[in-house]
Amino acid sequence: KSGLDPGGAWHAWGMACLKAGNLSSAREKFNRCLKPPMDLNQLNHGSRLVQDVIQYLESTVKPILIADDDYFTTLRELEATLRTRSLSLEMMCEGKIQHNSYYQECLFYLHSYGTNLAIISFYMRHDCMREALLHLLNKESPSEVFIEGIFIPSYESGKLHMLENLLETIDPGLESWGVYLIAACKYLQRKNYYHILYELQQFMKDHVRAAMTCIRFFTHGAKSYTELGGKQTWLLKIKDHLKVYLQEVSRSSGRKKMAFTFRKKMSATDVSRHINTVDLQMEVTKFLHRCESSGNSQMTGSSLPTLFGNNNMKMDVACKVMLEGKNIEEGFGIAFRVLQDFQLEATEVYSKVAKQLVKQQKYSEIRQLLKCVNESGVAAKNDGDNIILNCLNEFKNIPAEDLDNLIQDMDSDENKIQAYVMCNKLRSAYLVSVRQEKTRAVQLVQHVRQLAENSGDDVVKAICAQWL
């Protein structure tokens, strides 16, 4: 009469019937106030009212097993169980859930009014993982339901292996689980749970992604190559994963279609290239580990460069290898291979190394660097000169004798003149200028005279004027 919502009253009446053990009457009352959810795949456990019913039924489970204790089963419970069975629920757990009428009642309410997540969570709570998985598949629930309802509870309770075994039993090729497994990997990566991620990738036989995870284990958090030296087993694991992947690709290439749809693919060429990178990184690691152990290491940077980074980082590796050996020659071979394999800008790297050597006042090492560059067989004509010019551009205070030695090592007279001018050694610039072909010599001497005039060097200005 007052127009109030009767839902609350029906719910209270239904709960009273449940508590009295009158299951069939409770169903009738709840039918008037409970509604199935609009979206079965929403990420919650359904309405509060349904959750209250399930909570009560689970807390009141009576240890009555129809199979064993027929004598104690009341007619009402037997009737309710038979009715629930006739609902043709797709899967039933072996054991207690299948037989206990209160569990059956839970399933009736969950299937009638609950979300897929609520049903799956119920199965998981009662150790019916297989049923949870089959329900997920049958309803084609989204991956979020798998993560929330099955995956998180599995690894949190230490049952990841059990989950993996069941996934394989239901579908040995794992194809029907592909979407769910990839979603689980992304979830673990977001959470930084890399050990569980690696375990899962190995189970999925997703060798390329497993190799990528091993790269992270190798590089992450290392502050020195001494530390990386102790993590070299990860490099071996990367190689193992990539080799297994290559074998699988070559085996499946004979077949019409490659079965691994959800596993990461990579061309055989790329895989071989990555294996070479790992081999080279192993060499770099052993070399730099040895240098650090013998106390030769001098470069300290905020991040540790490896060959798994971008090109700038690879260039840093090449520099580090050259600078940290006993001398430039010791590390040049490995550095040169790094430059060649990754097609890096060699002159830029050599200039960087030379500048570092100037800072360390190792001028003889710069000459050794130039010798190595020239003997490498791939240096362009002016590479050595450019390395010296780049150095002089930045450092004007190199001792006179070392400076002369460096400039004398240059190939081109034009470059020598430029170098002398940069260091304000106008007399030396004049002496090289007058040795050139007559027309060019006139231009160069005029240029030197102009510079001498600008800088107030009357002596050099007079010499130039006299020659001209």
Side-chain angles (χ1 to χ4, degrees):
K1 285 180 181 176
S2 57
L4 296 173
D5 176 23
W10 286 117
H11 188 261
W13 196 349
M15 289 303 282
C17 292
L18 275 189
K19 287 169 186 172
N22 189 344
L23 302 182
S24 52
S25 187
R27 284 190 186 190
E28 183 201 329
K29 307 297 179 280
F30 285 130
N31 188 37
R32 295 170 181 268
C33 62
L34 297 179
K35 302 266 187 300
M38 299 290 284
D39 174 15
L40 288 173
N41 287 320
Q42 59 198 42
L43 285 183
N44 59 42
H45 289 252
S47 73
R48 184 69 253 171
L49 301 181
V50 178
Q51 289 178 55
D52 287 347
V53 173
I54 302 303
Q55 212 172 338
Y56 174 75
L57 286 168
E58 282 184 304
S59 66
T60 325
V61 168
K62 297 179 181 178
I64 291 174
L65 298 174
I66 294 169
D68 308 327
D69 301 321
D70 286 306
Y71 306 116
F72 300 107
T73 309
T74 63
L75 283 170
R76 190 179 291 127
E77 284 175 323
L78 190 55
E79 179 196 355
T81 306
L82 290 170
R83 193 175 299 132
T84 315
R85 286 265 173 85
S86 67
L87 285 170
S88 74
L89 301 177
E90 313 92 21
M91 347 82 190
M92 287 292 165
C93 255
E94 290 306 316
K96 59 185 178 184
I97 288 197
Q98 192 160 357
H99 297 311
N100 188 293
S101 59
Y102 275 77
Y103 278 114
Q104 292 301 329
E105 209 59 19
C106 284
L107 285 173
F108 166 78
Y109 286 107
L110 285 168
H111 280 274
S112 305
Y113 310 110
T115 59
N116 285 326
L117 180 59
I119 298 166
I120 285 167
S121 300
F122 174 80
Y123 282 132
M124 291 295 286
R125 278 199 302 280
H126 299 289
D127 296 324
C128 294
M129 195 186 280
R130 181 187 170 82
E131 283 66 24
L133 288 168
L134 290 173
H135 182 84
L136 181 87
L137 269 192
N138 289 345
K139 300 296 179 189
E140 296 179 351
S141 291
S143 46
E144 291 82 8
V145 174
F146 169 73
I147 303 286
E148 286 288 321
I150 299 175
F151 186 70
I152 295 175
S154 295
Y155 78 70
E156 282 183 347
S157 58
K159 291 180 180 170
L160 193 56
H161 282 294
M162 188 201 284
L163 171 62
E164 290 173 352
N165 290 337
L166 277 170
L167 293 174
E168 216 162 16
T169 310
I170 295 168
D171 177 3
L174 299 179
E175 285 304 314
S176 45
W177 305 115
V179 178
Y180 299 117
L181 288 169
I182 294 295
C185 288
K186 286 179 180 170
Y187 166 81
L188 292 170
Q189 206 166 354
R190 278 200 309 275
K191 288 282 188 181
N192 287 331
Y193 295 162
Y194 283 94
H195 289 279
I196 305 175
L197 174 66
Y198 182 51
E199 149 79 30
L200 190 62
Q201 286 166 337
Q202 289 179 94
F203 160 72
M204 291 159 65
K205 297 184 175 60
D206 194 347
H207 294 292
V208 175
R209 287 194 180 97
M212 289 157 78
T213 305
C214 290
I215 290 174
R216 189 191 184 276
F217 284 134
F218 174 70
T219 54
H220 186 68
K223 296 280 186 290
S224 69
Y225 262 89
T226 307
E227 278 181 55
L228 286 184
K231 297 167 94 178
Q232 288 186 76
T233 45
W234 288 114
L235 293 176
L236 295 170
K237 285 184 179 178
I238 297 168
K239 272 183 78 170
D240 289 344
H241 284 300
L242 294 176
K243 281 178 177 172
V244 171
Y245 177 78
L246 273 184
Q247 287 164 3
E248 287 184 357
V249 170
S250 62
R251 272 205 305 270
S252 63
S253 60
R255 302 177 210 150
K256 284 182 182 173
K257 177 175 166 283
M258 207 169 159
F260 319 125
T261 49
F262 63 90
R263 297 173 182 96
K264 189 168 179 64
K265 293 186 186 61
M266 193 178 273
S267 72
T269 322
D270 283 348
V271 175
S272 303
R273 207 179 66 235
H274 286 306
I275 290 174
N276 288 340
T277 301
V278 174
D279 285 334
L280 197 49
Q281 180 63 54
M282 280 177 123
E283 248 183 278
V284 167
T285 306
K286 283 173 187 159
F287 178 78
L288 290 175
H289 182 202
R290 199 171 66 241
C291 294
E292 286 182 5
S293 304
S294 62
N296 282 340
S297 180
Q298 286 159 337
M299 277 179 79
T300 49
S302 53
S303 66
L304 197 63
T306 70
L307 298 178
F308 300 119
N310 58 21
N311 277 358
N312 285 339
M313 194 183 264
K314 291 181 180 109
M315 287 161 89
D316 288 345
V317 170
C319 291
K320 196 173 173 67
V321 168
M322 280 190 265
L323 289 164
E324 298 208 359
K326 285 198 289 287
N327 52 41
I328 287 292
E329 206 168 351
E330 192 188 15
F332 188 83
I334 298 175
F336 183 70
R337 276 178 53 207
V338 170
L339 297 175
Q340 290 295 100
D341 281 13
F342 299 107
Q343 297 177 329
L344 302 173
E345 191 52 63
T347 317
E348 194 181 324
V349 173
Y350 298 142
S351 296
K352 218 172 177 180
V353 171
K355 286 173 187 175
Q356 204 64 35
L357 291 169
V358 173
K359 277 184 186 170
Q360 295 168 15
Q361 299 183 346
K362 293 182 176 176
Y363 304 109
S364 60
E365 290 285 301
I366 298 177
R367 299 179 76 184
Q368 194 180 27
L369 170 67
L370 296 174
K371 178 171 167 280
C372 290
V373 171
N374 289 329
E375 287 172 0
S376 70
V378 295
K381 186 169 178 290
N382 277 336
D383 276 1
D385 290 7
N386 289 333
I387 292 166
I388 295 173
L389 288 172
N390 282 335
C391 269
L392 300 182
N393 210 6
E394 216 158 293
F395 302 98
K396 303 287 188 272
N397 53 348
I398 299 173
E401 189 184 338
D402 295 305
L403 185 61
D404 278 335
N405 287 338
L406 283 176
I407 295 176
Q408 287 306 320
D409 282 348
M410 294 173 95
D411 290 325
S412 144
D413 280 352
E414 295 271 347
N415 287 334
K416 284 180 184 173
I417 295 165
Q418 192 184 337
Y420 282 129
V421 165
M422 282 166 77
C423 301
N424 213 25
K425 288 180 169 290
L426 297 180
R427 186 187 176 83
S428 303
Y430 160 77
L431 291 172
V432 181
S433 298
V434 296
R435 295 206 304 265
Q436 307 310 304
E437 179 269 321
K438 189 56 67 67
T439 322
R440 183 70 184 131
V442 170
Q443 290 172 339
L444 291 167
V445 173
Q446 282 175 335
H447 179 58
V448 173
R449 184 181 67 172
Q450 187 60 53
L451 290 171
E453 192 176 323
N454 294 348
S455 61
D457 189 336
D458 294 335
V459 179
V460 174
K461 180 185 166 189
I463 296 171
C464 291
Q466 187 179 352
W467 184 87
L468 288 166

